[in-house]
Amino acid sequence: MPDALDTPDAPAALAVSRRIGPELVELRRRLHRIPELGLHLPDTQALVLESLDGLDVEVTLGESLSSVVAVLRGRAPVSGDRPVVLLRGDMDALPVTEEVDVDYVSQRPGLMHACGHDLHVAGLVGAARILHELRDELVGDVVLMFQPAEEGPGGAEPMIREGLLDAAGRRVDAAYAVHVYAADHPYGTWFGRPGTLMAAADEVMIRVHGLGGHGAAPERTRDPVPVACEIVLAFQTAVTRQFSVWDPVVLTVGRIAAGTVNNVIPDDAHIEASLRTFSPEHRAKAHEVVTRVAQGVAAAHGLTAEVSIGNGYPVTVNDVDEQAFAQGVVVDLFGAERWTDMVDPEAGSEDMSFVLEEVPGAYLNVSACVHPDHRDAEDNHSPRAAFDDAIVPDVAAALAEMALRRTRELARTD
Ligand SMILES: [Zn+2]
């Protein structure tokens, strides 16, 4: 495979990333041993701060979560406004017991970096170090976003509330993030798409309220059990009959619960569903349809249904121009043979979507698959998900190069 580093005009970011690569891999392995969940990641935060120590950056710690925002200022002269680019790495792990046989295996039973966010942290630290070394060439400022709680309950939104997008003293112009994959593509393949990349995911909770009684005399009750079953089936009809197939809706009932024993009709039945949509329009419409169908089916049988739909992460949308730019950086650094267009969006969701709702940007994926055949590899979130951290220096170089080039372009067009 040709390597951009072998060419005389290889980007400096790539050269620095290769040199500091072993230290970034070591950092990833230290992070991998100490996975933490959710909004509060004190050990991870401490390791990030230790890794940024000695760099000339302005650090702000989160108040309601253990985020780290570091602003790195370029030293190249700029006439006019200083461009600002945001680079993001999420930091949290999952409640999974690791079954990967490596010497840096998780030291915390029941917790694992099963989505590879440890590689994201190491990659973003690497980008910081590259940009710091090259800051005489950096035209503008870079906001480094170390984010907790991507896996829930969501860290991007509180970070935005705490001032993330204005951390450099001026609004962020463009934002980039990279996610690693344990499967799906051969190692080293980058992939993405313009426009819709990932779904919005909302949690639907329904209580079907009836009137319990003796199983021998249903006519004296209002039995919620068959009504709950009808609601589940009616959802599937609603999805296929009320929404265009070209803007899909995925509605999965993952839990249905009612009653105690066979001969007692319960008062209530409970339905819990996951609703995934790929456009704000269908998301709003799906909320209406789910509520109307549940309440309407219940009413038809003389019962009531209480529906609550929690707003999860919005649709993740890559700006068309920013995606083309980020893809161009990857192709320049690693060669066109390492890029693959994603035909379809994914039904997963991501809270980088909150950042991309506010500023244009791009979210790319890269395979860190360790298996010789990626079709045999287990997916992210599996207790056997394994990531090849040789990819970390590439992630660092790509993020740093995006910041270097985009700030330069923005300064030129200002
Ligand atoms: Zn993830």
Side-chain angles (χ1 to χ4, degrees):
M1 185 178 300
D3 190 326
L5 197 58
D6 299 334
T7 62
D9 56 351
L14 203 51
V16 178
S17 79
R18 297 287 159 90
R19 197 183 70 235
I20 65 174
E23 293 162 56
L24 301 179
V25 168
E26 180 53 34
L27 170 62
R28 181 263 164 160
R29 294 180 181 189
R30 285 178 73 193
L31 290 159
H32 195 83
R33 291 189 184 96
I34 55 156
E36 295 176 292
L37 284 188
L39 291 164
H40 302 288
L41 320 169
D43 298 338
T44 308
Q45 186 189 50
L47 201 40
V48 167
L49 293 174
E50 182 192 314
S51 306
L52 296 176
D53 195 34
L55 301 188
D56 185 13
V57 288
E58 300 154 27
V59 171
T60 310
L61 304 185
E63 287 167 23
S64 63
L65 72 173
S66 52
S67 55
V68 178
V69 177
V71 178
L72 193 151
R73 309 245 180 227
R75 294 202 294 213
V78 188
S79 58
D81 284 338
R82 298 176 64 79
V84 184
V85 163
L86 181 147
L87 304 176
R88 180 265 207 165
D90 43 4
M91 305 197 284
D92 56 318
L94 284 157
V96 170
T97 298
E98 180 155 19
E99 293 176 25
V100 182
D101 183 21
V102 286
D103 61 9
Y104 51 89
V105 68
S106 168
Q107 299 301 300
R108 297 183 172 172
L111 298 179
M112 175 188 175
H113 268 295
C115 202
H117 298 183
D118 47 342
L119 286 84
H120 302 170
V121 176
L124 189 55
V125 165
R129 290 185 56 183
I130 296 165
L131 290 166
H132 191 262
E133 197 164 323
L134 302 177
R135 66 194 189 285
D136 287 343
E137 295 164 39
L138 176 61
V139 186
D141 303 324
V142 179
V143 175
L144 303 153
M145 173 190 182
F146 293 92
Q147 183 213 301
E150 190 283 322
E151 303 289 359
E157 213 183 6
M159 287 184 77
I160 292 170
R161 273 202 305 275
E162 291 185 9
L164 168 74
L165 300 177
D166 299 300
R170 191 168 167 272
R171 191 73 167 176
V172 165
D173 294 299
Y176 307 101
V178 173
H179 204 301
V180 293
Y181 272 62
D184 285 15
H185 291 278
Y187 170 85
T189 304
W190 292 75
F191 51 108
R193 74 194 304 280
T196 302
L197 183 75
M198 274 178 275
D202 299 319
E203 194 178 69
V204 180
M205 309 286 271
I206 299 168
R207 185 172 86 123
V208 181
H209 188 55
L211 180 68
H214 202 295
E219 74 282 7
R220 291 189 221 153
T221 73
R222 288 193 296 276
D223 188 350
V225 173
V227 173
C229 296
E230 253 185 75
I231 289 171
V232 173
L233 295 176
F235 279 163
Q236 301 314 314
T237 307
V239 164
T240 62
R241 300 299 89 186
Q242 296 189 47
F243 295 91
S244 160
V245 293
W246 306 115
D247 184 0
V249 173
V250 180
L251 180 55
T252 295
V253 175
R255 182 167 183 270
I256 176 164
T260 50
V261 288
N262 72 83
N263 60 354
V264 174
I265 292 170
D267 279 338
D268 296 320
H270 298 270
I271 298 168
E272 294 181 22
S274 154
L275 174 63
R276 288 166 197 272
T277 48
F278 296 86
S279 69
E281 295 74 26
H282 267 192
R283 188 186 192 196
K285 180 177 169 182
H287 286 201
E288 274 173 42
V289 168
V290 162
T291 304
R292 190 176 67 235
V293 166
Q295 291 177 342
V297 170
H301 295 284
L303 286 77
T304 57
E306 280 168 42
V307 181
S308 82
I309 305 178
N311 269 326
Y313 299 161
V315 181
T316 304
V317 182
N318 276 338
D319 179 86
V320 172
D321 294 337
E322 294 293 350
Q323 154 72 29
F325 162 78
Q327 179 179 335
V329 168
V330 164
V331 167
D332 280 355
L333 290 182
F334 308 114
E337 65 282 359
R338 278 181 59 184
W339 177 266
T340 296
D341 289 325
M342 283 168 70
V343 177
D344 302 312
E346 289 180 0
S349 65
E350 216 334 309
D351 70 347
M352 180 67 183
S353 52
F354 287 109
V355 173
L356 297 178
E357 278 189 333
E358 299 290 327
V359 296
Y363 182 106
L364 304 184
N365 301 308
V366 63
S367 173
C369 181
V370 296
H371 281 265
D373 187 340
H374 63 275
R375 286 162 296 194
D376 294 337
E378 294 213 26
D379 241 331
N380 291 31
H381 292 206
S382 159
R384 291 165 298 280
F387 300 86
D388 187 342
D389 49 26
I391 203 70
V392 170
D394 285 0
V395 172
L399 288 171
E401 188 68 13
M402 286 173 204
L404 286 163
R405 284 195 200 180
R406 195 72 185 97
T407 47
R408 219 177 290 143
E409 287 181 8
L410 285 160
R412 215 177 290 139
T413 54
D414 264 5

